[in-house]
């Protein structure tokens, strides 16, 4: 994610796993996200900003077939960090995302019939049921 303002500093998933490159630079916010380590003091007042309101509507999605566990962990970390509504991942990654997001308000979403919607209704139902068993709370189904 070069240029995104995030860097990996450990191979564990905690709030400290990824840090803004601007951390420690008082008064500078080059990451553009105003993340917790860059957020100006007035944003810490508990008053929701317009950015927070928009973030709460976003489904942060990673459906590329070559996604790695580290990609999914980063996706989940970003969703928690910025207050996104959900992460949407392929069914294979649902249990990983659910574990990463345990205890947060971010929901796990998965897909059924993706990407073409060419499967039968029974197959899509089975995909959706399996994803829910693994921890998905939303399903995006291609009809």
């Amino acid at each position: 994610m070069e240029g995104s303002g995030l860097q990996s500093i450990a191979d564990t998933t905690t709030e400290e796993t990824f840090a803004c490159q601007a951390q420690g630079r008082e008064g500078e916010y080059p990451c553009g996200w105003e993340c917790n380590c860059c957020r100006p003091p007035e944003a810490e007042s508990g008053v929701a900003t317009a950015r927070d309101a928009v973030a709460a509507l976003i489904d942060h999605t990673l459906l590329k077939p070559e996604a790695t566990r580290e990609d999914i962990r980063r996706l989940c970390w970003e969703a928690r960090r910025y207050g996104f509504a959900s992460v949407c991942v392929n069914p294979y990654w649902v249990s990983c995302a659910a574990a990463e997001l345990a205890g947060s308000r971010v929901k796990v979403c998965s897909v059924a019939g993706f990407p073409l919607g060419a499967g039968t209704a029974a197959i899509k139902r089975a995909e959706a049921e399996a994803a829910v068993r693994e921890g998905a709370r939303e399903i995006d189904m291609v009809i």
Side-chain angles (χ1 to χ4, degrees):
M1 294 188 76
E2 193 170 294
S4 71
L6 300 175
Q7 64 183 12
S8 178
I9 58 173
D11 190 30
T12 60
T13 301
T14 65
E15 290 297 325
E16 293 79 33
T17 301
F18 304 100
C20 171
Q21 292 176 351
Q23 189 169 8
R25 296 183 191 164
E26 191 171 335
E28 295 181 33
Y29 310 108
C31 67
W33 286 94
E34 293 183 27
C35 57
N36 290 339
C37 56
C38 292
R39 191 169 294 225
E42 60 272 14
E44 299 294 325
S45 66
V47 177
T49 64
R51 181 175 288 185
D52 295 333
V54 171
L57 301 173
I58 293 174
D59 295 330
H60 199 29
T61 303
L62 179 59
L63 296 172
K64 66 181 182 177
E66 67 273 14
T68 65
R69 179 173 299 280
E70 188 60 29
D71 292 335
I72 300 303
R73 293 169 75 199
R74 179 180 294 271
L75 182 82
C76 293
W77 178 85
E78 290 169 350
R80 287 179 85 148
R81 181 72 171 238
Y82 303 117
F84 296 148
S86 72
V87 298
C88 187
V89 296
N90 283 309
Y92 180 82
W93 293 113
V94 169
S95 62
C96 175
E100 293 293 324
L101 294 169
S104 78
R105 296 183 313 174
V106 180
K107 293 184 248 175
V108 176
C109 174
S110 191
V111 293
F114 185 80
L116 301 175
T120 65
I123 296 297
K124 292 174 190 178
R125 178 181 175 172
E127 286 180 324
E129 289 173 344
V132 169
R133 277 193 306 275
E134 293 292 319
R137 295 296 165 253
E138 292 184 6
I139 302 292
D140 287 352
M141 186 176 292
V142 181
I143 304 295

